[in-house]
Amino acid sequence: MKLSLKSTIIGTGASLLASTAMAQNLTLQSAFPFSLEVIDTSIHRFVEDVSTATNGELTFTPYDAGSFSPPFEILENVGNGSLDAGWSAASYWAGQIPAAALFQSIPFGPDVPKYLSWLYGGGGLELWEALYAPHNVVPIPCGSMISEAGGWFTEEITSVEDLNGMSMRISGLGER
């Protein structure tokens, strides 16, 4: 599949639309509210770094969650060109692309150096690109939230049955 002039990119906690045209300013909508300090800091740093690296030839204007698209529709809207770019988490797309969960929050998974070694040296990025290609989206990793501890509980967990009736928040493969 040959991507058009506007090739779409969504990454681990991040995404952007790439283009071969000169001097572009693209919108970049976050799936997360800017009130989350880590997200706010990382998306704005990404915007600054891209502008610096391209001498201002490619710039992004970041927008808060929900500005143009509901957060869980960013992949579709970037892929169809309704959004220039999205800043998101790979696990958000696990319902549509089950293997996307491999690219965020693996319970008891590898540490960041091992994960990045697989991503850049072990074929992980190529797999991710192939998974997103049918959606007209190209992932660009822009952060890492690779390992989830599995949970923190107020009571000791000694068997699977102890989890019955409990609610817990976990993303990626842990939620599958």
Side-chain angles (χ1 to χ4, degrees):
M1 173 176 113
K2 183 178 179 190
L3 295 175
S4 68
L5 198 53
K6 286 189 171 184
S7 303
T8 330
I9 302 170
I10 291 191
T12 306
S15 358
L16 63 99
L17 170 76
S19 175
T20 57
M22 301 299 281
Q24 291 191 57
N25 184 356
L26 304 172
T27 59
L28 173 60
Q29 184 191 310
S30 179
F32 314 102
F34 286 170
S35 61
L36 297 173
E37 187 175 329
V38 171
I39 300 299
D40 184 54
T41 301
S42 61
I43 192 172
H44 286 89
R45 180 171 180 173
F46 170 79
V47 167
E48 291 172 19
D49 288 350
V50 169
S51 180
T52 300
T54 64
N55 293 318
E57 289 294 315
L58 179 61
T59 58
F60 291 92
T61 302
Y63 290 90
D64 207 353
S67 294
F68 302 110
S69 172
F72 289 103
E73 294 177 17
I74 288 178
L75 178 76
E76 177 184 348
N77 287 323
V78 172
N80 71 25
S82 298
L83 289 174
D84 289 332
W87 187 267
S88 184
S91 65
Y92 275 24
W93 320 124
Q96 298 165 272
I97 311 166
L102 289 170
F103 301 94
Q104 181 198 342
S105 303
I106 299 169
F108 309 104
D111 60 16
V112 172
K114 288 180 184 119
Y115 171 74
L116 292 175
S117 294
W118 169 71
L119 195 66
Y120 290 108
L125 186 57
E126 291 82 1
L127 172 61
W128 199 359
E129 290 168 345
L131 292 170
Y132 280 32
H135 301 273
N136 197 33
V137 173
V138 178
I140 292 183
C142 295
S144 179
M145 296 187 301
I146 191 56
S147 184
E148 291 257 357
W152 292 267
F153 303 92
T154 57
E155 298 176 26
E156 184 178 6
I157 307 297
T158 59
S159 69
V160 173
E161 290 76 30
D162 291 342
L163 297 171
N164 287 335
M166 293 183 126
S167 61
M168 82 183 249
R169 181 240 160 257
I170 190 167
S171 62
L173 287 176
E175 74 178 310
R176 304 304 308 152

PDB file of all heavy atoms in Angstrom, residues 111-126:
ATOM      1  N   ASP A 111      11.615  -4.417  30.656  1.00  0.00           N
ATOM      2  CA  ASP A 111      11.868  -3.032  31.010  1.00  0.00           C
ATOM      3  C   ASP A 111      12.025  -2.233  29.710  1.00  0.00           C
ATOM      4  O   ASP A 111      12.023  -2.799  28.607  1.00  0.00           O
ATOM      5  CB  ASP A 111      13.087  -2.908  31.920  1.00  0.00           C
ATOM      6  CG  ASP A 111      14.378  -3.444  31.302  1.00  0.00           C
ATOM      7  OD1 ASP A 111      14.450  -3.639  30.067  1.00  0.00           O
ATOM      8  OD2 ASP A 111      15.328  -3.673  32.069  1.00  0.00           O
ATOM      9  N   VAL A 112      12.131  -0.929  29.829  1.00  0.00           N
ATOM     10  CA  VAL A 112      12.163  -0.064  28.647  1.00  0.00           C
ATOM     11  C   VAL A 112      13.334  -0.388  27.714  1.00  0.00           C
ATOM     12  O   VAL A 112      13.138  -0.495  26.501  1.00  0.00           O
ATOM     13  CB  VAL A 112      12.131   1.429  29.047  1.00  0.00           C
ATOM     14  CG1 VAL A 112      12.360   2.327  27.840  1.00  0.00           C
ATOM     15  CG2 VAL A 112      10.803   1.773  29.718  1.00  0.00           C
ATOM     16  N   PRO A 113      14.576  -0.573  28.206  1.00  0.00           N
ATOM     17  CA  PRO A 113      15.666  -0.901  27.265  1.00  0.00           C
ATOM     18  C   PRO A 113      15.411  -2.187  26.474  1.00  0.00           C
ATOM     19  O   PRO A 113      15.676  -2.237  25.271  1.00  0.00           O
ATOM     20  CB  PRO A 113      16.895  -1.032  28.171  1.00  0.00           C
ATOM     21  CG  PRO A 113      16.592  -0.168  29.344  1.00  0.00           C
ATOM     22  CD  PRO A 113      15.111  -0.323  29.569  1.00  0.00           C
ATOM     23  N   LYS A 114      14.884  -3.219  27.124  1.00  0.00           N
ATOM     24  CA  LYS A 114      14.605  -4.467  26.403  1.00  0.00           C
ATOM     25  C   LYS A 114      13.486  -4.270  25.390  1.00  0.00           C
ATOM     26  O   LYS A 114      13.538  -4.787  24.272  1.00  0.00           O
ATOM     27  CB  LYS A 114      14.244  -5.581  27.387  1.00  0.00           C
ATOM     28  CG  LYS A 114      15.421  -6.079  28.186  1.00  0.00           C
ATOM     29  CD  LYS A 114      15.025  -7.174  29.141  1.00  0.00           C
ATOM     30  CE  LYS A 114      16.214  -7.577  29.975  1.00  0.00           C
ATOM     31  NZ  LYS A 114      15.991  -7.356  31.378  1.00  0.00           N
ATOM     32  N   TYR A 115      12.455  -3.546  25.784  1.00  0.00           N
ATOM     33  CA  TYR A 115      11.346  -3.280  24.870  1.00  0.00           C
ATOM     34  C   TYR A 115      11.831  -2.500  23.649  1.00  0.00           C
ATOM     35  O   TYR A 115      11.506  -2.841  22.510  1.00  0.00           O
ATOM     36  CB  TYR A 115      10.240  -2.498  25.592  1.00  0.00           C
ATOM     37  CG  TYR A 115       9.171  -2.003  24.663  1.00  0.00           C
ATOM     38  CD1 TYR A 115       8.232  -2.873  24.128  1.00  0.00           C
ATOM     39  CD2 TYR A 115       9.111  -0.669  24.291  1.00  0.00           C
ATOM     40  CE1 TYR A 115       7.247  -2.425  23.259  1.00  0.00           C
ATOM     41  CE2 TYR A 115       8.136  -0.210  23.431  1.00  0.00           C
ATOM     42  CZ  TYR A 115       7.206  -1.086  22.923  1.00  0.00           C
ATOM     43  OH  TYR A 115       6.249  -0.638  22.058  1.00  0.00           O
ATOM     44  N   LEU A 116      12.621  -1.455  23.874  1.00  0.00           N
ATOM     45  CA  LEU A 116      13.128  -0.658  22.755  1.00  0.00           C
ATOM     46  C   LEU A 116      14.067  -1.475  21.871  1.00  0.00           C
ATOM     47  O   LEU A 116      14.096  -1.272  20.648  1.00  0.00           O
ATOM     48  CB  LEU A 116      13.804   0.610  23.264  1.00  0.00           C
ATOM     49  CG  LEU A 116      12.863   1.630  23.913  1.00  0.00           C
ATOM     50  CD1 LEU A 116      13.651   2.798  24.498  1.00  0.00           C
ATOM     51  CD2 LEU A 116      11.805   2.118  22.937  1.00  0.00           C
ATOM     52  N   SER A 117      14.822  -2.399  22.459  1.00  0.00           N
ATOM     53  CA  SER A 117      15.675  -3.285  21.661  1.00  0.00           C
ATOM     54  C   SER A 117      14.832  -4.127  20.717  1.00  0.00           C
ATOM     55  O   SER A 117      15.169  -4.298  19.546  1.00  0.00           O
ATOM     56  CB  SER A 117      16.504  -4.197  22.562  1.00  0.00           C
ATOM     57  OG  SER A 117      17.426  -3.441  23.298  1.00  0.00           O
ATOM     58  N   TRP A 118      13.722  -4.671  21.233  1.00  0.00           N
ATOM     59  CA  TRP A 118      12.814  -5.450  20.382  1.00  0.00           C
ATOM     60  C   TRP A 118      12.170  -4.560  19.329  1.00  0.00           C
ATOM     61  O   TRP A 118      12.095  -4.922  18.156  1.00  0.00           O
ATOM     62  CB  TRP A 118      11.727  -6.110  21.231  1.00  0.00           C
ATOM     63  CG  TRP A 118      10.625  -6.702  20.412  1.00  0.00           C
ATOM     64  CD1 TRP A 118      10.699  -7.819  19.622  1.00  0.00           C
ATOM     65  CD2 TRP A 118       9.299  -6.205  20.265  1.00  0.00           C
ATOM     66  NE1 TRP A 118       9.490  -8.046  18.990  1.00  0.00           N
ATOM     67  CE2 TRP A 118       8.613  -7.054  19.379  1.00  0.00           C
ATOM     68  CE3 TRP A 118       8.625  -5.112  20.796  1.00  0.00           C
ATOM     69  CZ2 TRP A 118       7.284  -6.857  19.011  1.00  0.00           C
ATOM     70  CZ3 TRP A 118       7.293  -4.914  20.447  1.00  0.00           C
ATOM     71  CH2 TRP A 118       6.649  -5.783  19.555  1.00  0.00           C
ATOM     72  N   LEU A 119      11.741  -3.368  19.750  1.00  0.00           N
ATOM     73  CA  LEU A 119      11.057  -2.467  18.832  1.00  0.00           C
ATOM     74  C   LEU A 119      11.962  -2.078  17.664  1.00  0.00           C
ATOM     75  O   LEU A 119      11.569  -2.182  16.505  1.00  0.00           O
ATOM     76  CB  LEU A 119      10.583  -1.218  19.591  1.00  0.00           C
ATOM     77  CG  LEU A 119       9.576  -0.339  18.900  1.00  0.00           C
ATOM     78  CD1 LEU A 119       8.248  -1.056  18.718  1.00  0.00           C
ATOM     79  CD2 LEU A 119       9.354   0.936  19.710  1.00  0.00           C
ATOM     80  N   TYR A 120      13.194  -1.648  17.972  1.00  0.00           N
ATOM     81  CA  TYR A 120      14.082  -1.137  16.924  1.00  0.00           C
ATOM     82  C   TYR A 120      15.053  -2.160  16.353  1.00  0.00           C
ATOM     83  O   TYR A 120      15.573  -1.956  15.258  1.00  0.00           O
ATOM     84  CB  TYR A 120      14.861   0.079  17.451  1.00  0.00           C
ATOM     85  CG  TYR A 120      13.965   1.272  17.653  1.00  0.00           C
ATOM     86  CD1 TYR A 120      13.629   1.703  18.924  1.00  0.00           C
ATOM     87  CD2 TYR A 120      13.423   1.956  16.569  1.00  0.00           C
ATOM     88  CE1 TYR A 120      12.784   2.784  19.120  1.00  0.00           C
ATOM     89  CE2 TYR A 120      12.582   3.034  16.748  1.00  0.00           C
ATOM     90  CZ  TYR A 120      12.268   3.439  18.028  1.00  0.00           C
ATOM     91  OH  TYR A 120      11.432   4.515  18.212  1.00  0.00           O
ATOM     92  N   GLY A 121      15.307  -3.246  17.047  1.00  0.00           N
ATOM     93  CA  GLY A 121      16.265  -4.216  16.540  1.00  0.00           C
ATOM     94  C   GLY A 121      15.709  -5.615  16.336  1.00  0.00           C
ATOM     95  O   GLY A 121      16.366  -6.458  15.738  1.00  0.00           O
ATOM     96  N   GLY A 122      14.508  -5.861  16.811  1.00  0.00           N
ATOM     97  CA  GLY A 122      13.952  -7.203  16.743  1.00  0.00           C
ATOM     98  C   GLY A 122      12.692  -7.322  15.911  1.00  0.00           C
ATOM     99  O   GLY A 122      11.987  -8.323  16.000  1.00  0.00           O
ATOM    100  N   GLY A 123      12.387  -6.311  15.109  1.00  0.00           N
ATOM    101  CA  GLY A 123      11.235  -6.391  14.223  1.00  0.00           C
ATOM    102  C   GLY A 123       9.932  -5.852  14.788  1.00  0.00           C
ATOM    103  O   GLY A 123       8.898  -5.893  14.118  1.00  0.00           O
ATOM    104  N   GLY A 124       9.952  -5.337  16.022  1.00  0.00           N
ATOM    105  CA  GLY A 124       8.730  -4.828  16.639  1.00  0.00           C
ATOM    106  C   GLY A 124       8.098  -3.673  15.875  1.00  0.00           C
ATOM    107  O   GLY A 124       6.883  -3.658  15.641  1.00  0.00           O
ATOM    108  N   LEU A 125       8.906  -2.698  15.479  1.00  0.00           N
ATOM    109  CA  LEU A 125       8.364  -1.543  14.762  1.00  0.00           C
ATOM    110  C   LEU A 125       7.781  -1.954  13.415  1.00  0.00           C
ATOM    111  O   LEU A 125       6.708  -1.472  13.022  1.00  0.00           O
ATOM    112  CB  LEU A 125       9.429  -0.458  14.583  1.00  0.00           C
ATOM    113  CG  LEU A 125       8.940   0.858  13.976  1.00  0.00           C
ATOM    114  CD1 LEU A 125       7.798   1.470  14.792  1.00  0.00           C
ATOM    115  CD2 LEU A 125      10.100   1.845  13.882  1.00  0.00           C
ATOM    116  N   GLU A 126       8.426  -2.860  12.726  1.00  0.00           N
ATOM    117  CA  GLU A 126       7.909  -3.337  11.442  1.00  0.00           C
ATOM    118  C   GLU A 126       6.553  -4.037  11.624  1.00  0.00           C
ATOM    119  O   GLU A 126       5.637  -3.866  10.820  1.00  0.00           O
ATOM    120  CB  GLU A 126       8.901  -4.276  10.760  1.00  0.00           C
ATOM    121  CG  GLU A 126      10.169  -3.598  10.275  1.00  0.00           C
ATOM    122  CD  GLU A 126      11.237  -3.401  11.357  1.00  0.00           C
ATOM    123  OE1 GLU A 126      11.035  -3.811  12.520  1.00  0.00           O
ATOM    124  OE2 GLU A 126      12.286  -2.807  11.035  1.00  0.00           O
TER     125      GLU A 126
END
